[in-house]
Amino acid sequence: MTVTEIAEIAGVSTGTVDRVIHNRGRVSEETREKINKIISENGYSPDPIARFLKKKSDFKIGVLIPTISEESGYWKSIYDGILDACVNDYAAFGFQIELFGFKRPDAASLKSQFKKMIKADCSAYIIAPIMQEEIMFLLSQEKLKAPYCFIDSPLPGALPITTVAQNPFKAGFMAGKLTRLCSAKTGTFAVIKPFSESYNLNERARGFASYFLQTKDCKAIQKIARGSRQEEIADAVVQIVNDSEDLRGICVVNSEVHYAGQKIEELGLKDKIAVVGFDLVDSNIEALKKNRVDALISQDPRGQGGLVMKEIYKNLVLEKDVEKEVNIPLNVFFKENIDF
């Protein structure tokens, strides 16, 4: 119950309630007893927003994600979502965003940016824990003085105040099911994983393979690409095609499935091989519309940015408990519904 609500029930001013709560100023004993009884029966919670506005402090939020120009703009969408929430939803609360972009999968780059971030006197951190071993090591070495959140991926063993991400295993399982449905054939289905050190990509690949364990006349194989650039994804596709005469589908577990779709089209195999991937980045949407890709699972990166800022706002401004896990829905898009 707030000061205003207590004042309304007691029939006094908010100033009188404030004097009783803080035991200052002159208040009649009868009024004091009346107010204390209301507080005893209903409780009293200070208004955190009013207290924040009175302090007029700002919050610097450090954001540790891959370079935003990488992976077809996926990380830029996350960053834009964070900025958009600060400008449009929480403009009154002085959130200042400082970006610390690292080159994936360069461990030295990640370490350097992490060190810079923790020296920046931030009130909270947003971290994409996509290089799992390095992140766990850095978190174990540095005792962060401010709360941290994970975005894009969970990471077992760490203790963020919240994680905003899809369930990667379920996402991979659905991707396997989608690839099979889009193919409607039996045979070999391949999952391409561009980075081997990423927990969420590993879990998607594991989920993909798990789906095919329960199917008849189908098997799943996994290919680790050298990276996520066009030539690296294309090389992985060519190797899979050459090694699997009965290849019926390919899934890429990050945002670069458009490269796989383009290569399959160049090889003249699109009518034989289904292609499924993740993320509604512009290049993937174009590939979907041109029938190079059959289906996409959205992670809503921009929405992730807004949701993680919501939890930070709850923690820093409202001083309330946050959601330990904020699960991003597994929304599926085809050519027929991509514009709706």
Side-chain angles (χ1 to χ4, degrees):
M1 183 169 284
T2 65
V3 168
T4 301
E5 292 169 332
I6 295 169
E8 289 176 354
I9 294 173
V12 299
S13 69
T14 55
T16 299
V17 176
D18 183 76
R19 287 195 292 275
V20 171
I21 290 171
H22 297 98
N23 195 27
R24 61 191 178 202
R26 298 180 60 182
V27 180
S28 71
E29 192 61 32
E30 179 183 356
T31 300
R32 186 181 300 277
E33 289 179 359
K34 184 177 184 180
I35 291 172
N36 281 330
K37 182 180 180 182
I38 294 170
I39 292 173
S40 177
E41 293 175 349
N42 298 279
Y44 162 64
S45 299
D47 185 343
I49 293 179
R51 187 165 63 250
F52 167 80
L53 293 174
K54 187 175 181 179
K55 290 191 298 184
K56 296 182 178 179
S57 58
D58 291 334
F59 296 120
K60 182 190 289 186
I61 310 299
V63 179
L64 182 69
I65 59 176
T67 307
I68 60 175
S69 61
E70 297 293 318
E71 297 180 51
S72 299
Y74 172 80
W75 296 107
K76 184 178 186 303
S77 293
I78 282 184
Y79 186 61
D80 287 346
I82 293 170
L83 294 179
D84 183 68
C86 292
V87 171
N88 295 315
D89 298 327
Y90 310 114
F93 303 103
F95 287 111
Q96 298 176 358
I97 305 301
E98 188 165 350
L99 177 63
F100 299 89
F102 61 91
K103 185 70 174 178
R104 184 185 193 182
D106 187 338
S109 174
L110 172 62
K111 181 179 179 180
S112 173
Q113 292 301 308
F114 183 90
K115 296 286 187 181
K116 289 180 182 178
M117 183 180 70
I118 63 174
K119 292 179 180 179
D121 192 28
C122 296
S123 300
Y125 307 102
I126 299 171
I127 298 172
I130 54 173
M131 296 172 63
Q132 59 189 72
E133 292 184 5
E134 287 81 1
I135 287 292
M136 288 298 293
F137 176 77
L138 290 169
L139 289 174
S140 70
Q141 293 296 304
E142 301 289 344
K143 303 301 181 183
L144 300 184
K145 297 179 181 179
Y148 66 92
C149 311
F150 283 162
I151 197 166
D152 176 69
S153 173
L155 183 56
L159 297 172
I161 60 168
T162 189
T163 296
V164 179
Q166 280 182 343
N167 181 308
F169 179 85
K170 290 183 178 179
F173 192 93
M174 175 181 280
K177 190 172 186 177
L178 271 173
T179 310
R180 171 75 189 283
L181 288 172
C182 290
S183 170
K185 300 173 184 176
T186 58
T188 299
F189 293 80
V191 59
I192 296 176
K193 189 172 62 173
F195 300 104
S196 61
E197 79 291 344
S198 177
Y199 173 78
N200 63 334
L201 301 191
N202 287 333
E203 283 295 283
R204 284 182 198 160
R206 188 171 72 89
F208 183 93
S210 293
Y211 169 76
F212 286 100
L213 290 176
Q214 66 181 28
T215 62
K216 294 181 178 181
D217 302 319
C218 292
K219 70 174 182 178
I221 60 173
Q222 177 177 289
K223 181 69 179 178
I224 300 176
R226 292 179 289 110
S228 64
R229 294 193 297 268
Q230 180 173 1
E231 63 273 18
E232 294 165 334
I233 299 295
D235 285 349
V237 169
V238 170
Q239 291 176 36
I240 294 168
V241 169
N242 290 339
D243 293 343
S244 307
E245 293 182 359
D246 62 342
L247 184 65
R248 300 293 180 250
I250 287 178
C251 172
V252 181
V253 292
N254 76 339
S255 60
E256 308 292 26
V257 67
H258 57 98
Y259 292 143
Q262 180 178 334
K263 192 62 183 179
I264 291 294
E265 184 180 63
E266 291 174 0
L267 295 171
L269 298 172
K270 187 62 196 74
D271 60 333
K272 298 178 181 179
I273 300 173
V275 181
V276 171
F278 288 81
D279 302 319
L280 302 187
V281 297
D282 289 343
S283 48
N284 282 349
I285 292 173
E286 180 183 2
L288 190 69
K289 291 181 176 181
K290 291 184 176 180
N291 296 315
R292 294 172 182 164
V293 171
D294 295 286
L296 294 169
I297 298 173
S298 172
Q299 294 187 85
D300 189 14
R302 194 180 187 97
Q304 287 186 52
L307 288 169
V308 77
M309 282 307 306
K310 179 181 178 181
E311 298 307 311
I312 288 175
Y313 163 75
K314 285 162 60 177
N315 179 264
L316 296 181
V317 178
L318 300 183
E319 299 178 357
K320 290 185 175 181
D321 292 336
V322 302
E323 296 291 332
K324 190 65 178 174
E325 296 181 357
V326 180
N327 290 307
I328 302 301
L330 299 170
N331 292 326
V332 178
F333 289 85
F334 302 95
K335 180 180 180 180
E336 291 76 13
N337 69 333
I338 191 63
D339 290 321
F340 299 97

